[in-house]
């Protein structure tokens, strides 16, 4: 795809600002601006202690809406570099985590990398390096992706961390003590790619349900977990906690799987050595990678230290595990069974999202259509990438990616609608109101009150969506608010009022600024860089950008406050073939 030099220049400018650094490192002013901007964005994402009161979020059957909130991505397997699926999951979790923090809740947002298993051992061997060196190198790519996308995770865990290994081994010993682990022999189909055992009935055309190749494992000595003992307990739990697994379609899949019968689970291997050694049998057995990986959700909180005052005591059970639909079985069946066996609380909710395709085709290396999220950021910008991933598809459903769709959505919703509304409003204020928020504001009309009421109710509608992980619905609420504001400005025509009724013009401009304040504050979880630039342009103080500041006269746009020269926030992406179309 070819961009003109002019557009490249505009995109470069936006990237420099949205990512918190500037290419012109010799410009001291730019360096200072970049450093303070990046610090503010980072702090806004992670800080939770500046609110006078906890606004909270809507209470649900799985969340009280006020207490400490742990949210987790799956830990990402380090066999290859990150792809769009990793960016999608991380961004979704970040939106929810930022929303909770801005609501005044204490958040523990966990991400990391899964670094053991046969696949990793084989990949390291192909490169001719030890497994530890291999995972050290590849894990960095995932950490850098989180930084690039401005993901505000509070901890990044690696399963090769010493404390994690100790935690996993402790859990193993507990399960042994409670008589849920025994030694036997295993024969069956195993997928190296999925790190998963499959029964004959699950295979599709000789492959795993995921399409992965399988191999026959014959008479390998193995430790087993008594998964079969938990079939009825799991079904009872699902029945008693209908919101434990979401969306509903995924819950139905899990119910069908468990009702089909659970067999004891092989949880160790002897045919390779890259994993956590089994306590008491370290020379022969390493743990099944999923038992190792799943434990990260509590090892990151300091398990087995569960005393009062610890992160475990504060944040477990986790409020929300977000996973891809391909690994739902491990999280909704195996993980709850492990926790039940150890007499530990279960997470409150597991949400499985869908997969992405590219131009209607399955994404795969063989087709050469893998989407690199780093490329997306370099082409379109951080916030633009985050916005598209969250706005394009209902969270939980599959989605299709195309550059054309992404460009059109960025241009329409961000550049044409939000960016243009902000630019033309503030330009009129700057030019006609002495470079300050209008001072002489007349009485509000019914149209003014209707728009302001809609903006005032925006938080409630957005909070309802977030409480259900309906992230696309959340973004749509913001998009529709901007649509309504654009309709209002077109109908009020302040450019015409400038000559006929200056006071009415000032009132209209003030109303739009106040609506934009609500929109920008609520857009912070999705497009943090751009939202904060918008709040700067609106002269909203940095300490008045939490959700606690949405309502209250003292937080509204202050008449007479100086504003700076308006500038474009979302440059249009000009592509010749789209212009022609």
């Amino acid at each position: 795809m070819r961009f003109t030099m002019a557009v490249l220049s505009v995109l470069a400018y936006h990237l420099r600002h949205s990512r918190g650094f500037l290419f012109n490192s010799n410009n001291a002013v730019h360096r200072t601006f970049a450093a303070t901007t990046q610090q503010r964005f980072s702090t806004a994402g992670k800080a939770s202690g500046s609110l006078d009161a906890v606004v909270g979020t809507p209470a649900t059957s799985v969340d009280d809406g006020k207490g400490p909130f742990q949210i987790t991505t799956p830990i990402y397997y380090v066999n290859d570099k990150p792809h769009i699926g990793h960016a999608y999951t991380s961004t979704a979790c970040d939106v929810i985590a930022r929303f909770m923090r801005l609501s005044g809740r204490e958040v523990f947002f966990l991400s990391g990398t899964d670094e053991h298993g046969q696949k990793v051992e084989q990949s390291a061997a192909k490169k001719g390096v030890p497994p530890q060196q291999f995972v050290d190198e590849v894990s960095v790519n995932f950490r850098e992706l989180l930084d690039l996308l401005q993901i505000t995770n509070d901890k990044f865990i690696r399963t090769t961390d010493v404390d994690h290994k100790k935690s996993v081994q402790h859990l193993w010993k507990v399960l042994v003590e409670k008589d849920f682990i025994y030694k036997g022999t295993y024969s069956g189909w195993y997928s190296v790619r999925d790190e998963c055992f499959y029964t004959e009935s699950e295979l599709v055309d000789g492959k795993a349900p995921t399409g992965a190749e399988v191999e026959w494992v014959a008479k390998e000595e193995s430790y087993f977990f008594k998964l079969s003992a938990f079939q009825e307990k799991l079904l009872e739990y699902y029945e008693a906690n209908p919101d434990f697994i979401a969306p509903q379609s995924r819950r139905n899949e899990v119910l069908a799987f468990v009702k089909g019968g659970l067999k004891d689970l092989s949880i160790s291997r002897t045919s390779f050595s890259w994993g956590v050694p089994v306590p008491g049998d370290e020379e022969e057995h390493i743990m099944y990678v999923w038992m190792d990986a799943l434990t990260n959700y509590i090892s990151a909180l300091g398990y087995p230290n569960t005393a009062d005052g610890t992160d475990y005591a504060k944040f477990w059970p986790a409020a929300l595990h977000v996973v891809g639909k391909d690994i739902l079985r491990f999280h909704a069946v195996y993980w709850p069974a492990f926790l039940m066996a150890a007499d530990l609380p279960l997470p409150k909710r597991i949400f499985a999202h869908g997969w992405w395709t590219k131009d209607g085709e399955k994404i795969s290396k063989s087709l050469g259509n893998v989407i690199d999220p780093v490329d997306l950021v370099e082409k379109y910008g951080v916030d633009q990438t985050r916005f598209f991933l969250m706005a394009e598809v209902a969270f939980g459903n599959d989605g299709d990616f195309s550059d054309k769709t992404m460009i059109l959505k960025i241009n329409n919703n961000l550049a044409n609608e939000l960016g243009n509304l902000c630019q033309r409003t503030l330009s009129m204020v700057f030019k006609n109101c002495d470079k300050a928020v209008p001072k002489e504001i007349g009485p509000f009309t019914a149209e003014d009150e209707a728009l302001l009421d809609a903006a005032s109710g925006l938080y409630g509608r957005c909070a309802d969506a977030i409480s259900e992980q309906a992230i696309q619905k959340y973004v749509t609420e913001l998009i529709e608010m901007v649509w309504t504001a654009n309709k209002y400005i077109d109908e009020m025509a302040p450019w015409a009022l400038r000559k006929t009724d200056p006071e009415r013009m000032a009132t209209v401009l003030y109303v739009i600024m106040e609506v934009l304040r609500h929109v920008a504050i609520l857009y912070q979880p999705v497009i943090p860089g751009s939202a904060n630039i918008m709040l700067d342009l609106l002269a909203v103080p940095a300490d008045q950008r939490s959700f606690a500041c949405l309502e209250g006269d003292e937080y509204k746009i202050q008449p007479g406050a100086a504003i700076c020269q308006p500038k474009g926030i979302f440059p249009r992406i000009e592509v010749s073939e789209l212009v022609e179309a």
Side-chain angles (χ1 to χ4, degrees), residues 424-438 506 509-510 513 561 563 566:
R424 62 176 172 164
T425 300
L426 294 179
S427 293
M428 285 199 68
V429 171
F430 191 82
K431 184 177 180 180
N432 299 295
C433 304
D434 298 323
K435 302 178 183 180
V437 178
L509 294 175
Y510 178 84
M513 289 183 72
I563 67 168

Side-chain angles (χ1 to χ4, degrees), residues 509-566:
L509 294 175
Y510 178 84
V511 167
I512 298 170
M513 289 183 72
E514 179 60 16
V515 171
L516 283 171
R517 183 181 73 89
H518 280 260
V519 168
I521 287 174
L522 283 160
Y523 249 132
Q524 287 177 102
V526 184
I527 48 173
S530 303
N532 277 278
I533 290 173
M534 193 183 309
L535 290 165
D536 288 344
L537 295 174
L538 291 165
V540 176
D543 62 351
Q544 293 183 14
R545 300 181 181 186
S546 71
F547 297 156
C549 300
L550 282 167
E551 299 300 327
D553 290 342
E554 68 272 29
Y555 300 125
K556 291 180 179 179
I557 297 291
Q558 296 301 305
I563 67 168
C564 58
Q565 174 74 52

Side-chain angles (χ1 to χ4, degrees), residues 35-110:
T36 55
T37 300
Q38 177 63 24
Q39 182 180 27
R40 185 178 71 245
F41 295 166
S42 177
T43 302
K46 290 192 175 183
S48 61
S50 61
L51 301 186
D52 295 327
V54 176
V55 177
T57 51
T60 69
S61 65
V62 294
D63 178 31
D64 66 6
K66 294 187 180 296
F69 187 93
Q70 183 190 9
I71 182 171
T72 69
T73 72
I75 50 173
Y76 300 126
Y77 205 62
V78 296
N79 194 51
D80 208 342
K81 67 179 184 178
H83 53 67
I84 190 173
H86 301 115
Y88 183 56
T89 312
S90 296
T91 303
C93 289
D94 188 57
V95 169
I96 296 170
R98 285 176 181 266
F99 189 95
M100 294 300 177
R101 293 192 193 101
L102 286 165
S103 296
R105 297 183 64 178
E106 190 170 2
V107 172
F108 189 93
F109 175 14
L110 177 65

Side-chain angles (χ1 to χ4, degrees), residues 84 371-381 385 401 403 406:
I84 190 173
I371 304 168
D372 186 342
V374 176
D375 289 345
L376 295 183
V377 171
E378 289 176 349
K379 280 203 286 189
Y380 306 120
T385 299
F401 175 90
D403 284 284
M406 183 169 182

